[in-house]
Amino acid sequence: MNESLVLDAAHRHCQSLQDALTGFRHRSLGRLAAWGTELAAVLPVGGRLLAAGNGGSAAQAQHLTAELVGRYRQERPAYSAIALHAETSSVTAIGNDYGFDQVFARQVSAHGRPGDILVLLSTSGRSANLITAAVTGRAAGLRVWALTGPGPNPLAEAADEALCVDADSTAAVQEAHLVAVHVLCECFDAAGGAPAPAAGAGVRPVAAAERRLS
């Protein structure tokens, strides 16, 4: 095996991601800041975030919901966030009874309320089940945000707002989407999702509990 060819492949991957992130930083941070601010106005007053994707994008969507139900950097309240693809019994039942195109839309109808936020991730922007979910969500009064690959694409057009990553590989799009998830969490916390720590704060919750029990 020619080691230089293998190393070249690694360099090309990193260059593709670097190029994608350069464009992402120039074009997308303002949108993510606005999304984080809006999210901070919705979740702390009882609103909910729903998220979905297919394949690797499902993992990114579930990463986002985990950061909100758990925490990103600092201690803060738990917020309602559901990864629709992770509801395996619902996904398989809906897919069996209504077809795969409806696996997310049906759950949006069940869980979404006016003013909630629906985040849909797709590297292609052409997944029929996500487009159907976007249409259903908007009709139900949810705010629909799409994270996609290069635009224009059908999902971006079906959403209220979209962040389209201009990259020449699916892998680079997915990696940029992970950065977008983390930046969104940063902006959410900065906009009020995470209360400012009090003086002397920063102790791990488990450590505080251990002291109370000692």
Side-chain angles (χ1 to χ4, degrees):
M1 181 179 292
N2 189 324
E3 291 186 6
S4 66
L5 291 177
V6 176
L7 186 58
D8 285 346
H11 278 296
R12 285 196 302 273
H13 182 101
C14 291
Q15 187 63 54
S16 177
L17 176 59
Q18 183 175 327
D19 292 343
L21 290 178
T22 297
F24 168 89
R25 188 171 188 180
H26 285 121
R27 293 189 295 269
S28 302
L29 295 189
R31 171 148 289 172
L32 288 169
W35 285 3
T37 300
E38 186 171 349
L39 201 58
V42 170
L43 297 189
V45 296
R48 174 177 290 163
L49 180 139
L50 306 177
N54 297 296
S57 295
Q60 304 287 29
Q62 198 162 345
H63 190 132
L64 172 60
T65 59
E67 300 282 24
L68 295 171
V69 175
R71 65 178 181 187
Y72 178 62
R73 286 185 184 274
Q74 64 196 63
E75 191 60 33
R76 56 160 166 72
Y79 296 113
S80 181
I82 300 174
L84 301 179
H85 55 272
E87 295 288 332
T88 53
S89 293
S90 293
V91 167
T92 53
I94 295 166
N96 187 61
D97 293 342
Y98 298 95
F100 192 67
D101 288 1
Q102 297 295 322
V103 294
F104 301 137
R106 185 83 176 176
Q107 293 186 77
V108 170
S109 295
H111 301 303
R113 300 292 182 268
D116 286 349
I117 293 171
L118 174 62
V119 179
L120 302 170
L121 296 91
S122 171
T123 56
S124 69
R126 302 183 184 280
S127 300
N129 55 4
L130 297 175
I131 296 167
T132 305
V135 172
T136 300
R138 292 185 70 181
L142 282 73
R143 288 283 293 163
V144 180
W145 301 338
L147 289 171
T148 77
N153 59 71
L155 180 57
E157 293 170 2
D160 288 300
E161 297 183 48
L163 190 159
C164 301
V165 175
D166 189 8
D168 58 8
S169 75
T170 297
V173 172
Q174 286 186 331
E175 289 155 2
H177 282 178
L178 178 57
V179 175
V181 164
H182 283 161
V183 172
L184 178 58
C185 291
E186 293 270 10
C187 294
F188 170 71
D189 282 3
V203 178
R204 292 183 305 118
V206 65
E210 288 166 355
R211 285 203 306 275
R212 288 196 298 272
L213 293 173
S214 63

